[in-house]
Amino acid sequence: KLEIAFAHRTFAWGSEARGKANVHVVILGLCKAATQLPEKRLFDYANIKGDPVEAKVKAISPYLFDGSRLANSHVVILDDSKAPPMMGSLRFGSQPIDGGHLIFDAARRQQLLNEDAATAACLRPYIGSEEYINGSTRWILCLQDINPSALRQMPTALKVLEAVKKFRLESKRDVTRQLAVFPTQFAFTTLPKESFLVVPEVSSENRNYIPIGWLSPPTVPSNLVRVLEHAKHFHFSLLTSRMHMSWLRYIGGRLESRYRYSIGIVYNPFPWPDLSDAAKEKLNTLGQAILDARSLHPQSTLADLYDPLTMPANLRKAHEANDKAVDQLYRKEAFASDRERVEFLLARYEQITAPALALAAAKPKKARKIKAT
């Protein structure tokens, strides 16, 4: 059995060669558990290109945090398929798996309308992470519920469906080939009937907050956003809080160096606070204040608003007020850093999951039947 004796948290490392590639790395030093020292050395980089600050700790967790708060310093976050009851189910947006034939940029959309004006009623804005954050738009041809007689009067749309069918039939995946007989259907469909909360799947690591907010029909969310239907402002307040952003930053996955929001690792297992009706009302007010601050800058995209250099003061203050309120739902003492927030959350996660893990461990294992040969 091995233990982490010392660790350098993420820092930038670059070669001195021409055309050097800068990469983000961590360094671990391992030792046998039987010979480990009582103190471990943990190096943290407030500036990933700067010098580290060393801390002496009794244990280092797999996430390279101080593990002394944990009963089991080896605790890890398990992928959880169960949605938190208070928050509701977060789901993927629509994924057509169509070879791009059902999706239109502005030029292709105009060409389709010129050739087949009747398709105008079936073209809906199609918004993923890129479009939502940067304010651009694509469209998707939604033909799921169209009357067959009406569809037969749209010759260009029929050609699009033929292309979708051909793409699916040529796939190496059985499930995609089976979908070929339903060319008007998406592979995964999310078509909310009322306003819905969206969480971009991927967002820049330079932002303090990933841009979260509402969209409304007829917009179709793509599979590159996560969707929470029937969301209230307190849901938004919790999701956009520094507490939740810290969890995403340190526990969630990455695409290159960008944040990648996961339902199973970031959303479902997050240690959500207990909320009274009064707390929900307060968070509703704070969430609305963030949205109100955004609305004062109608010409700015979310990319503009959440760039640390260009973030408006009123929006920053609204987020800070929300952060403070959410922090205080966990404890009265202020958190000194995001790292401290996550160390606290890991301990809370361990407390929440310990009874279920103990029960699972206590269940007798079923004997495996071995076939005679």
Side-chain angles (χ1 to χ4, degrees):
K1 183 180 177 181
L2 297 176
E3 295 286 346
I4 301 174
F6 69 87
H8 286 259
R9 295 178 57 79
T10 303
F11 65 94
W13 177 81
S15 166
E16 295 182 358
R18 177 181 293 181
K20 64 181 180 181
N22 288 303
V23 295
H24 293 177
V25 300
V26 298
I27 296 176
L28 301 180
L30 303 177
C31 66
K32 291 183 178 179
T35 60
Q36 64 179 311
L37 296 174
E39 279 191 334
K40 315 298 190 300
R41 304 175 68 188
L42 183 58
F43 298 87
D44 191 38
Y45 293 78
N47 178 354
I48 62 171
K49 296 182 180 180
D51 295 325
V53 175
E54 180 181 355
K56 298 289 182 66
V57 298
K58 293 181 179 179
I60 298 176
S61 82
Y63 298 100
L64 306 188
F65 288 117
D66 179 359
S68 59
R69 293 172 180 260
L70 303 169
N72 172 16
S73 62
H74 304 110
V75 67
V76 295
I77 309 304
L78 301 178
D79 193 296
D80 193 345
S81 61
K82 187 177 180 181
M86 179 188 73
M87 295 297 291
S89 180
L90 193 69
R91 58 182 284 141
F92 287 83
S94 293
Q95 184 175 22
I97 306 187
D98 62 327
H101 298 291
L102 292 171
I103 301 169
F104 295 79
D105 60 16
R108 280 193 67 224
R109 173 179 178 270
Q110 190 58 54
Q111 181 181 354
L112 175 65
L113 293 174
N114 290 342
E115 296 175 357
D116 215 337
T119 59
C122 305
L123 281 166
R124 297 172 62 173
Y126 187 55
I127 303 298
S129 297
E130 171 70 21
E131 294 80 19
Y132 180 67
I133 293 172
N134 292 295
S136 57
T137 304
R138 294 187 298 169
W139 290 264
I140 191 163
L141 195 57
C142 291
L143 301 168
Q144 292 93 335
D145 301 320
I146 191 170
N147 188 300
S149 61
L151 181 55
R152 291 188 65 200
Q153 304 305 311
M154 302 178 183
T156 306
L158 291 174
K159 291 179 182 178
V160 169
L161 293 178
E162 285 287 354
V164 172
K165 182 177 181 179
K166 181 175 184 294
F167 170 81
R168 291 175 176 175
L169 285 173
E170 292 173 351
S171 173
K172 295 180 180 180
R173 299 176 68 239
D174 288 343
V175 67
T176 302
R177 290 197 300 273
Q178 292 167 11
L179 193 62
V181 296
F182 306 103
T184 61
Q185 304 301 307
F186 299 159
F188 187 86
T189 304
T190 298
L191 297 173
K193 291 183 171 27
E194 58 186 40
S195 294
F196 53 97
L197 199 63
V198 292
V199 181
E201 179 188 50
V202 177
S203 179
S204 169
E205 73 281 8
N206 295 322
R207 299 187 181 107
N208 293 320
Y209 308 91
I210 61 172
I212 297 170
W214 269 268
L215 291 173
S216 299
T219 296
V220 177
S222 93
N223 59 298
L224 296 180
V225 294
R226 304 294 172 258
V227 175
L228 185 62
E229 298 186 73
H230 315 299
K232 307 298 183 186
H233 284 78
F234 77 85
H235 294 112
F236 168 72
S237 175
L238 291 172
L239 284 167
T240 198
S241 69
R242 190 79 183 235
M243 206 71 171
H244 192 60
M245 292 298 103
S246 300
W247 181 266
L248 166 65
R249 187 172 294 113
Y250 289 106
I251 303 298
R254 298 285 180 120
L255 180 62
E256 298 167 341
S257 59
R258 290 172 290 166
Y259 303 134
R260 188 165 195 168
Y261 197 96
S262 160
I263 297 174
I265 294 293
V266 177
Y267 181 80
N268 287 346
F270 181 74
W272 302 100
D274 298 323
L275 291 183
S276 64
D277 289 342
K280 288 180 182 178
E281 191 58 39
K282 181 176 182 179
L283 294 183
N284 282 336
T285 301
L286 291 167
Q288 184 61 57
I290 293 172
L291 298 173
D292 290 344
R294 289 183 189 176
S295 69
L296 296 176
H297 310 277
Q299 304 305 316
S300 298
T301 66
L302 289 170
D304 300 327
L305 294 175
Y306 284 91
D307 185 313
L309 294 177
T310 60
M311 188 176 192
N314 66 327
L315 180 57
R316 189 182 300 277
K317 289 177 180 177
H319 270 285
E320 288 174 351
N322 184 67
D323 294 340
K324 182 178 179 180
V326 174
D327 281 356
Q328 290 178 344
L329 292 172
Y330 289 91
R331 73 179 195 192
K332 292 182 179 180
E333 180 188 355
F335 292 94
S337 65
D338 287 349
R339 176 178 160 184
E340 188 176 324
R341 286 182 176 87
V342 180
E343 288 173 351
F344 178 91
L345 289 169
L346 281 172
R348 185 177 173 93
Y349 172 83
E350 184 182 41
Q351 292 170 359
I352 292 169
T353 58
L357 292 175
L359 182 62
K363 286 185 178 179
K365 300 285 191 296
K366 291 184 178 181
R368 289 172 53 194
K369 293 182 179 180
I370 301 175
K371 293 182 179 180
T373 57

